[in-house]
Amino acid sequence: MLIERHSIRVSFSVADLNAIDPEADYEDRAMADEEDIDQQEKELAEEDGEGESEAPDSFPVRVNVTIEKANKGALAVETIAQDGQIIIDNVYYYKDAAQARAKTAELAHTRQDLYVGPPFGNLDEDLQIVLERYLDERGINTALALFAPDYIDMKEQKEYLAWLANVKGFVEA
């Protein structure tokens, strides 16, 4: 049996919090009092006529996935994680995996001249489904879509507390 080796890199950024539309209706439950949350849930249940309320919408998080295979190149997949779903925006193929990472200006420039594939939405629907399953089998799924916004929110809170401490230390000096 031949075991195919590949590496998967998943990245997302706290900077996505800065790109949130302030007019959007994303609730940050961490900022609310328990009483407020209980009241909101009761109001939603009354409006829906149900005993359970829906979870608040999560903010969209860009999740970039790079899957590399030795001597086979790489797939770079741009996705959005939101409301427990991974939505694929684009899938790019690179013969040279280093181009998928493009850490130097030269590689980034070379990458711009390559044909890396059509927009995901232009692909045949069956191919879209196959690519979605391919990612799902590699853990790019609902669990990740739920984890990413929560992690970013927690990370941003830690960064904010460190920033406050740094500003306090600066002002007090």
Side-chain angles (χ1 to χ4, degrees), residues 130-151:
V130 167
L131 289 168
E132 289 167 349
R133 285 185 189 152
Y134 180 81
L135 290 180
D136 185 53
E137 291 170 359
R138 283 148 185 82
I140 314 304
N141 54 26
T142 299
L144 177 64
L146 293 170
F147 170 78
D150 287 345
Y151 178 81

Side-chain angles (χ1 to χ4, degrees), residues 85-160:
Q85 294 183 314
I86 296 287
I87 301 152
I88 300 173
D89 279 340
N90 290 299
V91 177
Y92 305 114
Y93 170 73
Y94 299 96
K95 285 185 181 181
D96 181 359
Q99 290 174 327
R101 290 180 251 116
K103 301 236 183 221
T104 67
E106 184 178 329
L107 278 175
H109 181 70
T110 303
R111 183 169 77 177
Q112 289 176 344
D113 296 333
L114 299 174
Y115 176 77
V116 292
F120 185 75
N122 291 354
L123 295 174
D124 180 76
E125 286 184 29
D126 290 337
L127 181 54
Q128 290 180 30
I129 291 168
V130 167
L131 289 168
E132 289 167 349
R133 285 185 189 152
Y134 180 81
L135 290 180
D136 185 53
E137 291 170 359
R138 283 148 185 82
I140 314 304
N141 54 26
T142 299
L144 177 64
L146 293 170
F147 170 78
D150 287 345
Y151 178 81
I152 286 176
D153 190 41
M154 183 269 311
K155 176 74 172 164
E156 193 274 338
Q157 289 299 313
K158 288 177 85 173
E159 294 288 336
Y160 175 64

